[in-house]
Amino acid sequence: MAEATFKDIPELFEVELGESLTARTESLSTFRELGPPDLCHVVKSTGKAGQRDLGSYHYVSGVDASSSASLAAYINSLTYAIEDTSGWLTKGPTWKLRNGCYCCFNAFSRVDIRVDVKIPGGVHTYVVDLRGERHEATPEIWQETYLSALLRAILYSDDPTYYLDAYRKLDPITTPDSEIRFLQAAEQLFLKGWQVGSDPEIQVATVVSNHLTAGILKYFGDSNRWQQATNLFEKLTVKEPEIASLLAKSYIGMNEEVKAVQIMAATLKATPQSYTLLHVQCDFLRSKGKLEWALKLAKQAVNCAPSEFVTWEKLTELYIDLEEYESALLTLNSCPMFTYNGRDAHRPLTPARIHLPSKRPITDILPERQKNEDDEADPALQRLPSPGLRGTWARAYALLCRLVSRIGWDELLKSRSCVFVMEEEYRMQKAHSEHTHVNGVDGGDNVIHEDGTVGKSEGSTLVANAGADDDASTRGIVSEASTKGSISSEANVVENDNLNAAPAIPTIRISTESDRAREEEGEETNEEDDMASDVLEKPVQAAGEDQENGVDAAQQSDFSFNNKRLCERWLDNLFMVLYEDLRVWTIFRAEVAHFKTQHVAYRKTALEWEILGDLGLRLHHKEEAKEAYQRCLESQRFSYKPWSKLLDMYADEGDLQRSLQMAIRVAAYQYAEYAEMTYPTQVARSFFKLYQIHGHAKLAYTLLSMGLPEPIQKVMDSYLNYGRAFKVEGYDF
């Protein structure tokens, strides 16, 4: 039944006719925020008696959802995309579209708008609520649906963590006129933006922190066209003063810093409790090197919103900038952590078959999609827990990585033991407390000194019991689930079941190649492991909650420690995750050095190079990461990531030739995954960075000189045409 497929459009064929629509209706109540991409379901028929109709569907974003006519037009366009396989000698049944249904989720009113198209026949539009009941579509519902669809297209455009089979991405905004429509809809619905939710790092969506503002800032920020956003925020600030934080950010983007400072100063008098405004001012002062001033603002932002992760994150960053590393650790320990909720998605169904047509000839420059030895990697590399971190956990880990890149692992462990109660200290104190209680002596004033001895306190001590909050301004508001849970639920990190033993770290051997070489040379296979152990000290466990009964260890006995806090269990686990990363990285660099001294080629599979490149980026070893990604490209493996990472690096450096070489492959990979969109994408973002350095003309002529095949040249020209049509900075030189 190959003739029942579309020519260039991916699709999933149903086992039972209409099952995708039924599954979507049942899933409506699970959509929490923006909702999933649009669903397009079609029924194909030959019109012959006894011939079973076929149902298929695909996901799509970027289609104009402003009216039933525009959605019906999309379904109608599919009638011309069915494969025609009739030949001269044989002619099979001719398949035609009998009907189609387009489903688009309205994230504001939490309903699904659907357009049924009969071919030939009429168009029927209705709204399905969370209970599955039907209602009539109103103009207000259509406007909300239009904006919801645009936000999904913008925010899901190049999200590497969001993948669906048969997901087609089209350009959401193609002309300056359609951009004006987007701005008009955003203006009318802006004050309702909190209803669509926010990023997982934001606990409570507000009028200035939500998916709508994120979409606006991404769309205009990625192309550095802040003027349009500024005009929008100017109008809205009159209605809601807090929006001035977005207005000031836009003016800073336009290099209108004086205007931005005036707005921030005036608005802070009216809304002194706006943490978003304080953060904009804080970032501005950081860019000017006024770190002490920025620190005061970051502290004020924490006082304004102590339950938000981003305020504590900003304060931690400032402490790292100021080289106050112990304060940074204490602040990081106080961050409120939230359960990660990913993007909304459809309930997965098992299709009867999948049709993923090749996008040739554009994808001819890519390797074949088939597994080979370069898709294999050492299990120890694949088991690294850090890539599985999401949301606040990933952001907190990034801060820890930044800390270790500034001061090194040994200094980080020293700082950790200075500010947190270590397990051994807690044992000693508990043993002493039990001893003094048995002998009838009150040990409440005893403290553990730095040399490990127990004695009377000489001044103020920090009482670390659960009966009294030690310092509300630095503990933060942490949910019970986040304090009593562990990072294992977020990142599959194995938390030890025994408080008396540190988490077990598996033996890491990341190179089977080096093992073989050592066996040939008669060396021990664990030489590099020993080297890593000598260089890298394993972190001891910090005292925390008692896992046997789920209560704070501090409740077991009355004790106090001089200027020390209890380390949150999730942070203690992040230290173990960091140790895993550093240990593997240390072994890797030791192996590289060993092979260089032996003048032997150092080999890895492409997947191993890719993992090591990611690891280098996490640990702020940019040059080594770049080298790993470059080595990854030496193999014929179908992988988008190394090209993508190198594109960002070369674009940041302004390397025109290499950036274009990377951009060509990234664009081809996007088309291979049916992302037929120009902006906002990574390639467009990189082009616009190069625009500001080299100008439009130089990019165009350099691309022309590369002698690309016509289909690929056409794709690359689309990015240049967008820059010229929307007058991105650099378009006129």
Side-chain angles (χ1 to χ4, degrees):
M1 287 184 289
E3 62 272 14
T5 58
F6 290 127
K7 197 180 302 180
D8 294 317
I9 299 170
E11 54 187 329
L12 306 171
F13 283 86
E14 295 177 315
V15 176
E16 295 182 13
L17 200 64
E19 65 181 3
S20 60
L21 294 174
T22 304
R24 182 176 172 102
T25 303
E26 292 171 351
S27 302
L28 285 177
S29 59
T30 66
F31 300 156
R32 296 177 303 271
E33 297 183 344
L34 276 179
D38 303 348
L39 174 71
C40 182
H41 174 267
V42 296
V43 177
K44 300 169 185 173
S45 173
T46 60
K48 294 183 179 180
Q51 180 76 52
R52 179 172 171 263
D53 290 348
L54 294 177
S56 74
Y57 60 96
H58 64 274
Y59 307 110
V60 62
S61 62
V63 178
D64 180 5
S66 59
S67 67
S68 59
S70 58
L71 297 183
Y74 177 79
I75 292 177
N76 191 54
S77 70
L78 300 179
T79 61
Y80 306 104
I82 295 183
E83 288 273 17
D84 182 12
T85 57
S86 58
W88 289 99
L89 300 176
T90 60
K91 188 170 179 66
T94 303
W95 291 88
K96 293 183 179 180
L97 282 193
R98 195 184 77 188
N99 59 55
C101 180
Y102 194 101
C103 311
C104 188
F105 187 70
N106 179 333
F108 291 88
S109 297
R110 325 297 302 159
V111 295
D112 207 31
I113 198 160
R114 299 189 180 178
V115 177
D116 277 339
V117 179
K118 299 284 190 294
I119 302 173
V123 176
H124 177 52
T125 304
Y126 56 94
V127 171
V128 179
D129 64 18
L130 302 185
R131 295 185 297 275
E133 298 173 359
R134 295 193 180 192
H135 305 275
E136 186 180 348
T138 63
E140 292 77 16
I141 290 288
W142 272 115
Q143 186 179 49
E144 291 174 355
T145 306
Y146 163 71
L147 190 56
S148 300
L150 273 177
L151 292 177
R152 282 192 293 272
I154 292 169
L155 294 175
Y156 295 5
S157 62
D158 51 3
D159 184 348
T161 64
Y162 193 83
Y163 178 80
L164 285 172
D165 277 328
Y167 180 15
R168 190 182 185 201
K169 299 177 184 177
L170 304 175
D171 271 317
I173 297 172
T174 54
T175 64
D177 286 342
S178 57
E179 184 177 278
I180 292 171
R181 286 179 57 208
F182 167 49
L183 287 166
Q184 289 171 343
E187 181 182 352
Q188 292 178 12
L189 295 173
F190 195 89
L191 297 182
K192 295 170 67 176
W194 59 272
Q195 296 176 5
V196 301
S198 62
D199 290 336
E201 296 82 17
I202 304 293
Q203 187 177 35
V204 180
T206 66
V207 72
V208 294
S209 299
N210 55 62
H211 287 311
L212 175 54
T213 57
I216 293 170
L217 293 176
K218 179 181 179 181
Y219 182 81
F220 293 106
D222 282 2
S223 58
N224 204 34
R225 295 185 303 121
W226 291 101
Q227 182 65 57
Q228 289 85 340
T230 303
N231 293 340
L232 172 65
F233 297 141
E234 282 274 15
K235 300 173 189 174
L236 294 166
T237 303
V238 178
K239 301 177 184 177
E240 177 56 62
E242 198 173 349
I243 298 172
S245 61
L246 301 173
L247 179 59
K249 191 171 186 176
S250 300
Y251 271 122
I252 291 172
M254 292 171 60
N255 293 320
E256 294 278 356
E257 295 178 347
V258 174
K259 184 75 172 172
V261 170
Q262 290 171 344
I263 290 168
M264 288 187 286
T267 311
L268 271 176
K269 294 176 183 176
T271 56
Q273 298 300 309
S274 171
Y275 79 87
T276 52
L277 188 61
L278 290 166
H279 276 185
V280 174
Q281 198 167 13
C282 183
D283 289 336
F284 177 70
L285 289 171
R286 283 177 74 189
S287 70
K288 301 299 179 185
K290 302 292 185 182
L291 299 180
E292 292 289 350
W293 296 0
L295 180 66
K296 293 179 181 178
L297 291 169
K299 288 179 179 177
Q300 181 62 27
V302 167
N303 291 332
C304 294
S307 62
E308 286 293 349
F309 172 84
V310 289
T311 57
W312 294 93
E313 179 188 40
K314 187 74 69 180
L315 183 56
T316 306
E317 289 174 349
L318 260 300
Y319 277 129
I320 296 174
D321 290 344
L322 287 163
E323 301 181 1
E324 297 181 22
Y325 303 119
E326 292 183 6
S327 296
L329 271 179
L330 283 171
T331 308
L332 180 59
N333 189 56
S334 300
C335 287
M337 308 300 283
F338 316 136
T339 301
Y340 175 73
N341 293 318
R343 305 249 192 229
D344 291 327
H346 293 87
R347 194 180 81 199
L349 299 173
T350 303
R353 62 190 176 100
I354 301 175
H355 173 60
L356 301 174
S358 173
K359 302 288 286 186
R360 295 180 182 277
I362 294 171
T363 57
D364 284 344
I365 62 173
L366 302 179
E368 291 294 325
R369 283 176 183 260
Q370 56 186 17
K371 292 277 185 181
N372 55 41
E373 61 181 14
D374 278 308
D375 286 295
E376 298 174 358
D378 192 288
L381 279 174
Q382 293 180 307
R383 282 198 308 265
L384 285 174
S386 48
L389 297 172
R390 296 285 184 270
T392 52
W393 315 93
R395 297 268 283 263
Y397 185 68
L399 291 171
L400 206 55
C401 288
R402 188 173 170 224
L403 259 172
V404 80
S405 73
R406 295 286 292 269
I407 61 176
W409 178 244
D410 291 340
E411 283 300 316
L412 181 60
L413 289 187
K414 286 179 185 175
S415 298
R416 174 176 177 251
S417 62
C418 286
V419 297
F420 297 133
V421 180
M422 293 292 105
E423 178 69 15
E424 188 59 33
E425 294 176 324
Y426 169 68
R427 289 176 199 276
M428 292 176 63
Q429 177 65 20
K430 187 175 180 182
H432 175 75
S433 179
E434 289 173 352
H435 174 73
T436 52
H437 279 302
V438 167
N439 289 281
V441 180
D442 182 14
D445 294 333
N446 288 334
V447 298
I448 299 293
H449 295 306
E450 291 184 1
D451 59 0
T453 60
V454 181
K456 294 292 181 182
S457 61
E458 299 178 357
S460 62
T461 61
L462 184 66
V463 179
N465 58 32
D469 194 348
D470 54 357
D471 191 340
S473 67
T474 54
R475 282 178 68 89
I477 299 174
V478 186
S479 66
E480 183 179 356
S482 63
T483 55
K484 292 193 177 180
S486 76
I487 197 168
S488 59
S489 63
E490 304 296 332
N492 298 323
V493 179
V494 180
E495 183 177 1
N496 52 308
D497 296 321
N498 185 359
L499 185 67
N500 298 325
I505 303 296
T507 302
I508 299 175
R509 291 197 182 105
I510 66 167
S511 176
T512 52
E513 177 85 14
S514 59
D515 287 346
R516 286 196 297 270
R518 291 189 199 111
E519 287 170 7
E520 290 172 4
E521 296 170 14
E523 297 178 6
E524 293 291 334
T525 58
N526 63 350
E527 177 186 324
E528 302 294 354
D529 284 351
D530 294 338
M531 186 181 300
S533 300
D534 292 340
V535 174
L536 211 63
E537 179 187 348
K538 182 178 177 181
V540 296
Q541 188 171 6
E545 56 192 38
D546 192 328
Q547 294 175 339
E548 293 178 3
N549 52 24
V551 298
D552 245 10
Q555 291 180 320
Q556 300 301 310
S557 60
D558 295 327
F559 68 95
S560 59
F561 292 95
N562 191 24
N563 298 323
K564 286 201 174 189
R565 306 283 171 89
L566 290 178
C567 182
E568 293 286 352
R569 180 60 65 217
W570 62 263
L571 182 56
D572 204 32
N573 278 326
L574 282 189
F575 270 97
M576 304 309 294
V577 173
L578 180 58
Y579 174 71
E580 287 272 4
D581 272 359
L582 287 171
R583 188 176 181 195
V584 169
W585 184 256
T586 303
I587 295 170
F588 163 60
R589 296 311 298 172
E591 286 185 342
V592 170
H594 170 74
F595 276 75
K596 279 184 178 177
T597 57
Q598 298 296 319
H599 303 288
V600 178
Y602 184 61
R603 292 188 177 89
K604 292 277 181 199
T605 67
L607 179 56
E608 286 174 336
W609 281 120
E610 185 177 300
I611 295 172
L612 289 167
D614 293 345
L615 179 58
L617 276 188
R618 284 199 300 276
L619 298 177
H620 297 266
H621 296 288
K622 185 178 176 182
E623 290 305 316
E624 291 89 341
K626 186 194 292 186
E627 182 183 349
Y629 288 130
Q630 288 167 339
R631 293 289 298 271
C632 187
L633 302 184
E634 294 172 3
S635 73
Q636 286 296 304
R637 173 173 173 263
F638 192 89
S639 178
Y640 162 84
K641 184 183 284 185
W643 297 98
S644 170
K645 296 291 186 182
L646 287 171
L647 173 58
D648 281 339
M649 291 180 184
Y650 290 138
D652 289 338
E653 294 167 4
D655 190 329
L656 179 59
Q657 199 71 33
R658 286 196 176 101
S659 293
L660 292 179
Q661 290 169 354
M662 300 298 121
I664 291 164
R665 295 305 192 288
V666 171
Y669 273 110
Q670 287 178 347
Y671 267 75
E673 299 293 345
Y674 312 102
E676 306 161 35
M677 65 188 304
T678 302
Y679 184 80
T681 58
Q682 183 193 6
V683 176
R685 197 163 53 242
S686 301
F687 265 46
F688 299 154
K689 287 178 185 176
L690 297 171
Y691 265 35
Q692 297 177 36
I693 302 170
H694 302 286
H696 177 278
K698 188 172 182 181
L699 257 73
Y701 289 130
T702 306
L703 269 174
L704 200 60
S705 69
M706 296 173 80
L708 300 173
E710 186 180 347
I712 298 173
Q713 182 70 45
K714 189 176 178 182
V715 171
M716 304 313 292
D717 283 343
S718 68
Y719 300 105
L720 297 173
N721 295 337
Y722 180 94
R724 190 166 51 243
F726 288 86
K727 298 183 178 178
V728 176
E729 183 181 350
Y731 80 97
D732 52 354
F733 70 88

